[in-house]
Amino acid sequence: DTGVSQNPRHKITKRGQNVTFRCDPISEHNRLYWYRQTLGQGPEFLTYFQNEAQLEKSRLLSDRFSAERPKGSFSTLEIQRTEQGDSAMYLCASSWTAEAFFGQGTRLTVV
Amino acid sequence: LAKTTQPISMDSYEGQEVNITCSHNNIATNDYITWYQQFPSQGPRFIIQGYKTKVTNEVASLFIPADRKSSTLSLPRVSLSDTAVYYCLVGVYGGATNKLIFGTGTLLAVQP
């Protein structure tokens, strides 16, 4: 296992389009997190899964954002009707114990 | 969740010991203290976690006083490759709400 994998690594989209990102966690990890990070800021919590259950979702996440983790394995984060303010790095992390392992992120640019 | 306060930036030279202090005055009884490191264009990487007193691993030490209202990450003999942003996080490990909340972190710049 090579760690947390995120795809795509980069995505450029036009404003108003929908985008979907995928995260493949480390296989035995039951917890999965999504974060968003903009330049000069720390990662901002978006949502958290334990197995397939989405236990928490940030109020910062508008109705345009949705995340799923079917069967408690990989996860997808979808952004509908993208806006320029959605441009950021989207990070996924997984954990089994106290240590969370992060992927390299998907950089989204909305033009 | 307890809020954390760290210096925005720190400078050091190669070979020196670096201590980064984090304040968390409202830490709860069940909260652990965790530090992450982040390089540009990469996800954060776990460094160390502790609850009280001192924890040491192969890369760092974490000092936590008795009142637990602050903690200090100690990096021995830093090198240029330790230039990164360091985040202090406080939260319950293993609880129903164990999301990781990051602040703005401390940018450590190591110079030759």
Side-chain angles (χ1 to χ4, degrees):
Chain A
D1 191 41
T2 56
V4 177
S5 176
Q6 292 190 246
N7 288 287
R9 292 292 309 279
H10 303 274
K11 178 71 176 178
I12 299 175
T13 191
K14 292 184 177 179
R15 188 174 52 188
Q17 297 294 306
N18 299 344
V19 294
T20 300
F21 309 141
R22 178 180 171 119
C23 172
D24 287 276
I26 294 172
S27 58
E28 65 269 21
H29 287 184
N30 61 342
R31 299 186 182 98
L32 187 146
Y33 314 80
W34 283 99
Y35 288 83
R36 177 174 64 188
Q37 187 172 26
T38 54
L39 194 63
Q41 301 298 313
E44 178 184 31
F45 172 79
L46 293 179
T47 191
Y48 156 62
F49 290 85
Q50 185 156 324
N51 299 313
E52 66 274 11
Q54 187 174 19
L55 296 187
E56 194 154 353
K57 183 176 176 180
S58 170
R59 283 173 290 180
L60 298 171
L61 222 60
S62 72
D63 292 342
R64 297 184 297 106
F65 288 72
S66 63
E68 294 182 342
R69 191 184 183 195
K71 302 178 182 178
S73 55
F74 71 92
S75 177
T76 57
L77 177 68
E78 181 183 17
I79 308 174
Q80 296 181 327
R81 304 181 302 282
T82 52
E83 302 172 355
Q84 286 190 320
D86 297 331
S87 294
M89 175 76 84
Y90 290 83
L91 293 163
C92 174
S94 70
S95 72
W96 175 252
T97 61
E99 181 176 352
F101 292 80
F102 282 79
Q104 297 214 338
T106 294
R107 182 168 295 282
L108 173 66
T109 302
V110 181
V111 297
Chain B
L1 294 172
K3 182 181 177 181
T4 60
T5 303
Q6 306 174 232
I8 293 174
S9 64
M10 294 182 67
D11 293 322
S12 183
Y13 293 94
E14 281 191 294
Q16 289 189 332
E17 178 185 73
V18 171
N19 295 309
I20 306 175
T21 297
C22 178
S23 295
H24 28 80
N25 291 319
N26 297 323
I27 190 168
T29 304
N30 294 333
D31 284 342
Y32 282 71
I33 300 152
T34 312
W35 286 80
Y36 280 79
Q37 174 193 55
Q38 187 177 27
F39 298 112
S41 299
Q42 294 188 23
R45 184 175 72 104
F46 175 93
I47 302 175
I48 197 166
Q49 183 183 73
Y51 182 80
K52 61 181 180 180
T53 63
K54 177 183 175 181
V55 179
T56 297
N57 62 22
E58 63 275 11
V59 297
S61 295
L62 179 59
F63 298 92
I64 306 168
D67 66 7
R68 305 201 325 121
K69 294 183 182 299
S70 67
S71 59
T72 299
L73 175 73
S74 181
L75 304 173
R77 298 179 298 282
V78 294
S79 64
L80 295 176
S81 63
D82 291 316
T83 294
V85 178
Y86 292 82
Y87 296 97
C88 165
L89 287 74
V90 172
V92 178
Y93 159 55
T97 305
N98 60 353
K99 62 188 179 185
L100 308 174
I101 300 298
F102 289 80
T104 52
T106 298
L107 174 59
L108 172 64
V110 180
Q111 302 177 26

